[in-house]
Amino acid sequence: GAVVSQHPSWVICKSGTSVKIECRSLDFQATTMFWYRQFPKQSLMLMATSNEGSKATYEQGVEKDKFLINHASLTLSTLTVTSAHPEDSSFYICSARPSGRGVYEQYFGPGTRLTVT
Amino acid sequence: KQEVTQIPAALSVPEGENLVLNCSFTDSAIYNLQWFRQDPGKGLTSLLLIQSSQREQTSGRLNASLDKSSGRSTLYIAASQPGDSATYLCAVRHQAGTALIFGKGTTLSVSS
C-alpha cells in the first residue's frame, strides 16, 4: 500500500509553453502533498506544500505565479510550470502525507523529468 | 536555517566491504531523520527512519544511528553488493507532518 504516482514520468516542451504534472495517492487520502525539485547532482529542494482545499505555501525564492499548484482533492495535486524556460529543466518529485497516519509520514512519487528546449 | 551535509559525496568500494555514510545537520531540534536510496533518474526509496528519541534502527544489512545532540547520523552498510550502488540521501524533519530537508547525497558504487 501507500503508492504515489506521477504523470508524466518525463516530458519535453518548448520554451514559453506550460506543463502540468500530476501527483496522485493511489490507495490513501493525502491532506498534504509536497513538491520538490532536484537539479543534477544536487539535493531535493522543497518548492511548496500543498494542502487540500487551500492555497499552497511556497518556499522562499519559488515564484508562485510560475509554479501553480492545485490540490483539489484528497488524492490529487497538480504542479503547472507556466511559461517554462530551459532553467526550469529539472526532476520534479512529489510526496504525499497520509491523513491521520503516524510515524511514516510521507510517500514519494517516482518523479517527473522535465526538459525545456 | 537547517543545513544537511553528507560526506563523502562519492564512494567506490569492492563488493563485500562494510562501509559508513555520514550525515550531519546544523539544527539538532529535529523530529526525525530518514535515509533514502535513489537510483539514477528514479524516485526515492525509504530505507530507515529514526525518531529523535531513538539511537538507531536496523533493517537487514543496514544500520542507521542518530546522535541528535551532536547533529550526526551514520548509515552502515554491511557486506556491500553491486546492487547497493545508488545515491543515498539523508533528510531531517523538524515537526510531525512537515517537509523533509535533504542533504546532497552520497553516490555509492560497489564493484564486483
Side-chain angles (χ1 to χ4, degrees):
Chain A
V3 177
V4 176
S5 70
Q6 282 186 240
H7 178 79
S9 56
W10 59 271
V11 57
I12 301 173
C13 70
K14 292 186 177 181
S15 185
T17 62
S18 295
V19 174
K20 179 185 286 188
I21 302 171
E22 293 184 349
C23 177
R24 291 182 185 272
S25 55
L26 298 185
D27 51 2
F28 64 94
Q29 293 185 332
T31 307
T32 303
M33 292 186 176
F34 303 97
W35 286 96
Y36 296 85
R37 179 169 53 183
Q38 185 180 33
F39 292 108
K41 298 191 182 299
Q42 297 296 314
S43 181
L44 278 77
M45 298 297 294
L46 179 67
M47 298 177 66
T49 301
S50 168
N51 293 298
E52 187 267 337
S54 64
K55 291 185 178 180
T57 303
Y58 291 82
E59 294 300 299
Q60 191 173 8
V62 178
E63 300 174 59
K64 62 180 181 180
D65 294 330
K66 181 173 181 60
F67 298 99
L68 301 180
I69 291 173
N70 185 289
H71 193 158
S73 78
L74 287 172
T75 59
L76 173 64
S77 176
T78 60
L79 168 67
T80 301
V81 183
T82 62
S83 187
H85 288 98
E87 56 264 32
D88 298 323
S89 298
S90 187
F91 193 54
Y92 293 85
I93 301 178
C94 72
S95 69
R97 177 192 171 208
S99 303
R101 290 281 182 92
V103 173
Y104 200 163
E105 297 179 335
Q106 289 181 35
Y107 299 90
F108 283 82
T112 296
R113 173 76 59 191
L114 170 63
T115 301
V116 184
T117 62
Chain B
K1 179 183 176 183
Q2 177 73 273
E3 291 187 5
V4 180
T5 303
Q6 292 187 245
I7 295 174
L11 182 63
S12 293
V13 300
E15 182 177 7
E17 271 204 12
N18 302 324
L19 55 100
V20 175
L21 307 181
N22 297 292
C23 172
S24 62
F25 44 96
T26 54
D27 184 350
S28 62
I30 63 170
Y31 177 71
N32 58 30
L33 181 146
Q34 202 162 355
W35 282 92
F36 294 87
R37 168 185 173 139
Q38 185 177 31
D39 292 287
K42 302 293 185 181
L44 306 180
T45 300
S46 179
L47 299 174
L48 290 164
L49 183 149
I50 310 177
Q51 290 295 90
S52 61
S53 58
Q54 297 175 325
R55 298 284 292 183
E56 67 176 345
Q57 283 287 330
T58 298
S59 176
R61 294 183 294 109
L62 305 179
N63 175 276
S65 68
L66 173 64
D67 186 342
K68 182 182 167 184
S69 61
S70 67
R72 296 178 186 277
S73 176
T74 61
L75 178 66
Y76 175 82
I77 302 177
S80 58
Q81 303 171 358
D84 295 331
S85 299
T87 295
Y88 291 80
L89 297 168
C90 169
V92 299
R93 182 183 282 112
H94 280 286
Q95 295 178 6
T98 59
L100 288 160
I101 301 170
F102 286 84
K104 291 186 178 182
T106 294
T107 299
L108 173 65
S109 176
V110 181
S111 57
S112 57

